[in-house]
Amino acid sequence: MMADITREQIGALRLHSRRPLVICDVDEVVVHFTRDFENYIAALGLWLDASSFALNGNIRRTAGGTAITPAESAALIERFFAERTLHMQPIDGAIEALRGIGERAEIVMLTNLPHQAGDDRRKNLAGHGLSYPVVTNTGPKWPAIKLLAEGLQAPVVFIDDSPGFIASAYQHAPEVHLVHFLHDERFARHVEAFDFVSLRTASWDEALPHVLDLVAAN
């Protein structure tokens, strides 16, 4: 369930077994995806319907309002990442928060995007002052989370916006603390509140002290 390239990237890391680890998503957690994607598709005569928590089926033509097909959506998203990853802008407080967390814990950015856009993602984050390792992934994230946490003797925290990734992390890596970061209220309103997460939040002002408390609980 894990791509070879993802496994190789994780294998190349040298994590300290006794230092806390924070595994952090990127899109809609560290950088704006939805805002930039909406601006991008508007120029193509498309708009994003926020009536459910999904991209497939929610990208619609301005003329007529019909949804584009899943294949068209996949091609459009791949094109977006190819053209815009270098230029994505940070969510308020994300950079400062991760720098603060990085003083207390290891940080790995676990991001789902085309692997060929990985170097652009690394350059973009480094340009914002974040030089933490970036692991590119496709499909479920729990295999990568489980592998990253394997053998560690310190707290592990996973931060993501996707309810599916959060729920599967709970199922497959129950020892990991979960922070459900839902920045865009238009989509967050469709997502049930999970009772197994450590924190559900829309703000790094709230996430930062909570994560620091988690990683300090050795």
Side-chain angles (χ1 to χ4, degrees):
M1 297 188 73
M2 188 185 341
D4 289 343
I5 189 170
T6 301
R7 189 179 298 276
E8 290 166 4
Q9 290 173 65
I10 293 174
L13 299 176
R14 295 295 177 262
L15 301 176
H16 298 286
S17 64
R18 296 186 179 275
R19 196 162 188 231
L21 171 64
V22 174
I23 305 166
C24 189
D25 183 28
V26 179
D27 292 304
E28 281 303 287
V29 174
V30 179
V31 300
H32 288 282
F33 169 82
T34 304
R35 184 189 71 182
D36 291 0
F37 185 68
E38 286 181 303
N39 290 338
Y40 180 80
I41 65 174
L44 303 174
L46 301 167
W47 63 284
L48 184 60
D49 184 356
S51 62
S52 66
F53 192 95
L55 284 179
N56 272 335
N58 281 353
I59 303 172
R60 299 184 177 275
R61 295 178 176 85
T62 304
T66 58
I68 66 175
T69 67
E72 290 172 320
S73 294
L76 179 63
I77 293 166
E78 185 167 344
R79 177 178 160 192
F80 169 79
F81 279 122
E83 296 180 12
R84 297 303 304 165
T85 299
L86 272 176
H87 310 288
M88 297 172 82
Q89 294 301 307
I91 286 171
D92 288 349
I95 305 305
E96 297 79 7
L98 285 169
R99 285 176 177 167
I101 293 167
E103 294 176 1
R104 313 276 185 88
E106 304 265 22
I107 295 178
V108 173
M109 315 303 294
L110 179 62
T111 180
N112 270 32
L113 84 171
H115 294 293
Q116 59 268 31
D119 284 343
D120 281 352
R121 171 126 291 170
R122 293 178 182 95
K123 290 175 186 175
N124 177 254
L125 291 175
H128 294 309
L130 300 181
S131 57
Y132 305 117
V134 173
V135 173
T136 60
N137 184 70
T138 53
K141 285 188 176 179
W142 70 261
I145 295 166
K146 197 169 181 64
L147 184 58
L148 283 163
E150 193 173 84
L152 296 187
Q153 302 171 46
V156 179
V157 181
F158 174 51
I159 308 170
D160 205 288
D161 68 313
S162 164
F165 293 156
I166 290 288
S168 63
Y170 173 70
Q171 179 181 0
H172 296 282
E175 73 281 5
V176 173
H177 300 286
L178 304 172
V179 174
H180 200 179
F181 194 98
L182 290 160
H183 178 67
D184 192 325
E185 175 55 32
R186 296 174 302 163
F187 295 95
R189 63 194 172 97
H190 301 298
V191 180
E192 64 178 298
F194 296 135
D195 60 6
F196 50 77
V197 302
S198 181
L199 174 71
R200 173 174 167 143
T201 184
S203 165
W204 276 104
D205 287 342
E206 186 176 21
L208 173 58
H210 183 80
V211 173
L212 290 177
D213 284 347
L214 292 176
V215 302
N218 273 325

